[in-house]
Amino acid sequence: MKTKGKFKQVAVMWIRDGVLINRMPINAVAFAYAYFLSAPAAEQDSLNVNSLVNFAFAQSGISCLEKMTLWRSLQNASDLDLEAAVRLYNALATEAACSANYFDGAIETLTWLKTCRAGNFITSAVEQEVLDAWAYSPQGRQICSRSGAITEILGRRPNFCKGRDHFQYVSEWLTKTAYRPEAELIKTIYYVADAVSEIKQGREFSAEFSIVPIGFAHHIDSAQVMAAASLVRAGLEKLLASRVVSLASSSSLLERLSLDQRQLELPSAEALEASLRQAGATHVVRNFDELRSSLDPQFATR
């Protein structure tokens, strides 16, 4: 798109879990279960699954490995096998998330942006191999097939992580695909994220990479978390039955995975929107109708 003698190149970077797919409650519960089940028996006695779920929500936007490392350091625990715990998390979250759905309007918005010649990138702290496998799942193929709307999935690779690395990669993609000198381009990256930490990161690099952070304020209530717990529990039992996962004394441990709805600490819808604005979101939207409305003027002349 030409704008006053310059060519405008646009990309949108998406958080898969929490913006495109409604699976944040699943991820939080899967984190809690994976940490609890992987912890040494001596530590399990002092663990509270509700506290782990609340912690996962509070630290939204960083990887499972980073969350587990941070929790372990705060609790002065050292015996947890982090790699095994993360593998269990990935197995639980992947199994349960098969039942998660795209947000209403997500797929249609991706398709529309593709027709506008905008790039669509998923940016994630999840390991690249996990994301690559997901792309070939029935859920992933809806947007990642050869004719799909996703340009590329960016995950965690050696020396390449969510944040500056991903922003720089997309910025360079905009330059390469324009086939024009950098001086003739107006590059814009819209970063749609649901976590305060992600919006802050987008704001931090906004000047360097022309990033416009957009907060996606989907409100999660306790009923959604309890429904997610049922899905993760069913997924765990399926994985145990198929021997994909094995646990010592699994029956006694499973009895301790129940959540108490009264102990969940979740922000109100108003507090969520306010926190995203305070973090630096240029716009805060609650659904894809509002998101489409905020993006639509940028493509009016395409």
Side-chain angles (χ1 to χ4, degrees):
M1 179 174 68
K2 291 185 177 180
T3 305
K4 295 183 179 180
K6 291 196 174 184
F7 190 81
K8 187 172 183 179
Q9 282 283 85
V10 174
V12 185
M13 297 180 69
W14 303 91
I15 302 301
R16 182 192 65 168
D17 304 352
V19 175
L20 293 179
I21 301 175
N22 186 9
R23 57 177 279 177
M24 281 309 297
I26 288 173
N27 290 355
V29 175
F31 166 84
Y33 284 14
Y35 190 99
F36 180 86
L37 294 170
S38 302
E43 185 184 351
Q44 285 173 344
D45 292 336
S46 63
L47 285 174
N48 180 288
V49 175
N50 291 278
S51 297
L52 286 163
V53 169
N54 291 334
F55 179 81
F57 277 118
Q59 301 300 325
S60 179
I62 64 176
S63 70
C64 175
L65 175 62
E66 291 169 310
K67 287 191 187 81
M68 289 187 172
T69 301
L70 180 57
W71 174 273
R72 189 176 66 168
S73 67
L74 293 172
Q75 304 302 315
N76 294 318
S78 59
D79 294 334
L80 181 74
D81 184 339
L82 282 172
E83 290 187 4
V86 170
R87 285 197 300 271
L88 178 56
Y89 164 81
N90 285 331
L92 288 174
T94 298
E95 180 64 36
C98 292
S99 299
N101 297 312
Y102 287 91
F103 285 102
D104 291 343
I107 295 176
E108 292 81 0
T109 299
L110 291 172
T111 302
W112 166 68
L113 286 167
K114 182 184 178 184
T115 65
C116 294
R117 300 192 298 279
N120 284 310
F121 291 82
I122 289 175
T123 176
S124 175
V126 175
E127 296 84 353
Q128 187 67 53
E129 57 269 24
V130 175
L131 294 168
D132 290 343
W134 169 80
Y136 288 97
S137 71
Q139 188 181 74
R141 285 199 300 269
Q142 292 184 64
I143 59 173
C144 300
S145 62
R146 183 171 296 178
S147 59
I150 292 295
T151 306
E152 192 169 348
I153 301 175
L154 307 178
R156 182 162 64 87
R157 313 169 191 170
N159 302 314
F160 185 74
C161 300
K162 179 183 173 184
R164 192 184 192 285
D165 294 341
H166 288 186
F167 294 143
Q168 182 173 359
Y169 182 92
V170 174
S171 180
E172 292 174 353
W173 178 88
L174 288 171
T175 301
K176 292 175 184 176
T177 55
Y179 301 107
R180 284 171 168 79
E182 187 96 18
E184 296 179 9
L185 297 178
I186 298 176
K187 299 191 294 185
T188 303
I189 298 172
Y190 294 97
Y191 182 39
V192 190
D194 62 304
V196 165
S197 62
E198 293 161 342
I199 294 298
K200 286 182 177 179
Q201 196 170 56
R203 176 57 60 189
E204 178 185 355
F205 295 106
S206 59
E208 184 176 1
F209 298 115
S210 299
I211 297 169
V212 178
I214 299 177
F216 189 78
H218 170 69
H219 179 240
I220 297 170
D221 59 23
S222 58
Q224 294 178 60
V225 179
M226 299 306 291
S230 296
L231 288 174
V232 178
R233 178 65 175 264
L236 174 59
E237 292 174 350
K238 179 180 178 179
L239 293 171
L240 287 170
S242 61
R243 298 186 179 180
V244 174
V245 168
S246 60
L247 299 170
S249 305
S250 58
S251 59
S252 60
L253 288 177
L254 292 178
E255 294 175 1
R256 300 173 60 187
L257 294 177
S258 297
L259 290 179
D260 184 344
Q261 189 168 340
R262 297 166 299 178
Q263 294 184 34
L264 295 174
E265 299 172 0
L266 303 167
S268 66
E270 295 76 15
L272 176 60
E273 292 180 34
S275 64
L276 290 169
R277 289 193 181 92
Q278 187 175 8
T282 303
H283 308 288
V284 175
V285 300
R286 294 167 295 179
N287 52 55
F288 272 82
D289 286 339
E290 293 181 2
L291 177 60
R292 176 74 175 262
S293 295
S294 69
L295 290 175
D296 191 77
Q298 311 305 318
F299 300 97
T301 59
R302 278 181 175 257

